[in-house]
Amino acid sequence: MTGVSPKTRIQKKNTRAILEAALEIFSKHGFRGSTVDQIADAAGLSKPNLLYYFPTKEAIHLELLAGLMDTWLAPLRQLDTDGDPVDEIIGYVLRKLTMAQELPRESRLFANEIVQGAPRIIDQIEGDLRDLVNEKCDVIQGWIKQGKLADVDPHHLIFSIWATTQQYADFDAQIRGILRPRNDAHFSDAARFLETFYRSALTVR
Amino acid sequence: MTGVSPKTRIQKKNTRAILEAALEIFSKHGFRGSTVDQIADAAGLSKPNLLYYFPTKEAIHLELLAGLMDTWLAPLRQLDTDGDPVDEIIGYVLRKLTMAQELPRESRLFANEIVQGAPRIIDQIEGDLRDLVNEKCDVIQGWIKQGKLADVDPHHLIFSIWATTQQYADFDAQIRGILRPRNDAHFSDAARFLETFYRSALTVR
DNA sequence: AAAGAGTTTGACCAAATGGTCAGGAACACG
DNA sequence: CGTGTTCCTGACCATTTGGTCAAACTCTTT
């Protein structure tokens, strides 16, 4: 039987272990750079056993990406039309930064995929993601029209938020390399920087 | 003979073709995702012939990375202590954005490398790059002390500039996917956004 | 035009890799 | 406790891939 959808106790345990291991490996080496053996090792299974649960390496990768997309979009979903505009945006920035800190592997998994042209998730990007972004851009545009937010292009504002927050996960090696041997707690510095930065850029005066 | 340093007419032509082809392939598929055959094809050479000029696949990759590092740092080098602080930073932002537009392959080459932990360029990051960044951070800190620039962490300011500009090359697939079917000239929108954004965030009032 | 250096190639190799399969071991359940 | 299902494994396979090599070809130089 191939491509089992988790039912039994053992199936649940093992599919969970495989996805966890795959996240670890794929996020570190990219799709092509990861081997089924590596994933099987990390999951504590033999290769044939792993392939008993997922038919192919690609199936694991797809399941991972699909399963994480929701988590990934959650912070943007929370953006509240009725809140204070600047605070709402700052809140979004800080939520995204927290995600970069707490889920760096997920961030890198997406980064790896997108840098290489997003071949496997272009549909989700042009679907759910685009819809959500456009919806929230309308909200932001509304705030701007009400004079509650500086006049900036909403799409590029969102892009900038993704870039400035996710870099702390995706380009961690670079940032650590440059900051070394300075403090290791650069996330709180980043939070301070981003908050004052976005507040000062977005506040209407 | 292995690892020829270009001397003859043919050597110059072929090493150039190989590096150009390698940039194309590596930036698209990453190191592990690229094959020597692909590069040889793109360069119009046979595999053994390619390996006559470079001893290994890794040697090509290293040569590329090392050769491009200078180009990559040039915009930051131009940051002028004696210029107007805000204009200098804006100028840097726009130069980096132009590079993302004109040299997206180079940007993605680095992005691929850094996302995966920068195993092959960590030395350069912790060497030349770090030194240059620290030097320029001192300049920025000086401007801040003189009250000519808003008080922000210089390191994180630079990180944010890298992130907001390079994303237009590195995450091109995502940005196009979201903006589609809108205009294709999003670089000028990005330039407008970034200029007003950084100006408004950095100007002292 | 011959010699020697530089260049190119087909054939080949070893290792790595994704995936298969027949059968055995462990488990659930009546 | 027996039986059918689920789970697991060693052995195996085809393909891909990085790299080698001897031989052949071509270019330059005298």
Side-chain angles (χ1 to χ4, degrees):
Chain A
M1 183 180 300
T2 52
V4 190
S5 54
K7 282 182 62 183
T8 75
R9 177 180 59 87
I10 296 178
Q11 277 171 27
K12 277 184 186 156
K13 190 190 70 170
N14 283 347
T15 53
R16 205 186 302 272
I18 290 169
L19 289 174
E20 158 67 23
L23 175 59
E24 183 73 22
I25 302 296
F26 280 142
S27 68
K28 208 176 277 177
H29 309 290
F31 181 75
R32 286 284 312 264
S34 305
T35 71
V36 178
D37 272 312
Q38 283 177 311
I39 299 171
D41 271 3
L45 300 176
S46 69
K47 182 167 62 167
N49 197 11
L50 181 149
L51 290 167
Y52 168 74
Y53 291 98
F54 290 89
T56 62
K57 175 181 163 185
E58 184 144 12
I60 308 175
H61 195 244
L62 274 175
E63 174 104 1
L64 259 188
L65 287 170
L68 290 172
M69 189 55 92
D70 269 352
T71 309
W72 212 239
L73 297 185
L76 183 53
R77 285 225 172 76
Q78 284 185 47
L79 200 78
D80 180 13
T81 319
D82 301 325
D84 173 75
V86 174
D87 287 341
E88 281 298 319
I89 305 259
I90 302 278
Y92 175 48
V93 170
L94 296 179
R95 282 196 298 278
K96 274 246 105 184
L97 184 64
T98 301
M99 283 193 70
Q101 184 172 17
E102 288 176 358
L103 305 175
R105 298 177 307 177
E106 287 78 352
S107 189
R108 273 193 279 267
L109 185 78
F110 283 119
N112 260 310
E113 184 65 13
I114 293 169
V115 171
Q116 301 189 4
R120 286 170 262 264
I121 51 168
I122 193 65
D123 293 341
Q124 298 188 59
I125 288 176
E126 298 191 356
D128 294 343
L129 177 53
R130 209 187 68 173
D131 294 343
L132 177 63
V133 168
N134 283 337
E135 180 194 322
K136 295 304 183 181
C137 280
D138 286 346
V139 171
I140 294 173
Q141 196 61 60
W143 287 338
I144 292 173
K145 276 207 178 107
Q146 294 171 40
K148 292 179 175 173
L149 205 66
D151 184 14
V152 295
D153 184 318
H155 280 98
H156 290 273
L157 173 60
I158 288 180
F159 295 157
S160 87
I161 293 173
W162 291 349
T164 51
T165 54
Q166 288 177 8
Q167 71 163 329
Y168 289 104
D170 302 343
F171 301 142
D172 180 72
Q174 190 180 42
I175 285 170
R176 290 189 122 78
I178 288 170
L179 257 28
R180 179 172 314 158
R182 297 260 259 290
N183 70 49
D184 205 51
H186 61 264
F187 267 102
S188 54
D189 290 340
R192 238 190 315 279
F193 170 81
L194 291 176
E195 172 158 7
T196 63
F197 199 74
Y198 276 95
R199 191 175 293 284
S200 140
L202 292 176
T203 301
V204 178
R205 17 176 154 252
Chain B
M1 184 180 299
T2 53
V4 190
S5 54
K7 282 184 64 184
T8 75
R9 177 178 58 88
I10 296 178
Q11 276 170 27
K12 276 184 187 155
K13 192 190 70 171
N14 282 346
T15 53
R16 204 187 303 272
I18 291 169
L19 289 174
E20 158 67 23
L23 174 59
E24 183 72 22
I25 302 297
F26 280 142
S27 69
K28 208 177 276 176
H29 309 290
F31 181 75
R32 286 286 309 267
S34 305
T35 71
V36 178
D37 271 311
Q38 283 177 311
I39 298 171
D41 271 3
L45 300 175
S46 68
K47 183 167 62 166
N49 198 10
L50 181 149
L51 290 168
Y52 168 73
Y53 291 97
F54 290 89
T56 62
K57 175 181 162 184
E58 184 143 12
I60 308 174
H61 195 243
L62 273 175
E63 174 105 3
L64 259 188
L65 287 170
L68 289 172
M69 189 56 92
D70 269 352
T71 309
W72 211 239
L73 297 186
L76 183 54
R77 285 225 171 75
Q78 284 186 48
L79 199 79
D80 180 13
T81 319
D82 301 325
D84 172 74
V86 174
D87 288 340
E88 281 298 319
I89 305 261
I90 303 279
Y92 176 47
V93 170
L94 296 179
R95 282 196 299 278
K96 274 247 104 182
L97 184 64
T98 301
M99 283 194 70
Q101 184 172 16
E102 288 176 359
L103 306 176
R105 298 177 306 178
E106 287 78 352
S107 189
R108 273 194 278 268
L109 185 78
F110 282 120
N112 261 309
E113 184 65 13
I114 293 169
V115 170
Q116 301 188 5
R120 285 170 265 264
I121 51 169
I122 193 65
D123 294 340
Q124 298 188 59
I125 289 176
E126 298 190 357
D128 294 343
L129 176 53
R130 210 188 66 173
D131 294 344
L132 178 63
V133 167
N134 283 337
E135 180 195 322
K136 295 303 183 181
C137 279
D138 286 346
V139 171
I140 294 172
Q141 196 61 60
W143 288 337
I144 293 173
K145 276 208 178 106
Q146 294 171 38
K148 292 178 174 175
L149 206 66
D151 184 16
V152 296
D153 184 316
H155 279 97
H156 290 274
L157 173 60
I158 289 180
F159 295 157
S160 87
I161 294 173
W162 292 348
T164 51
T165 54
Q166 289 177 7
Q167 70 163 330
Y168 289 103
D170 302 342
F171 301 140
D172 179 73
Q174 189 181 44
I175 285 170
R176 290 188 123 78
I178 288 169
L179 256 29
R180 179 171 313 158
R182 297 262 259 290
N183 71 48
D184 204 50
H186 61 264
F187 267 102
S188 54
D189 290 341
R192 240 190 313 280
F193 170 81
L194 290 176
E195 172 160 7
T196 63
F197 198 74
Y198 275 96
R199 191 175 292 283
S200 140
L202 292 176
T203 301
V204 179
R205 36 194 131 236

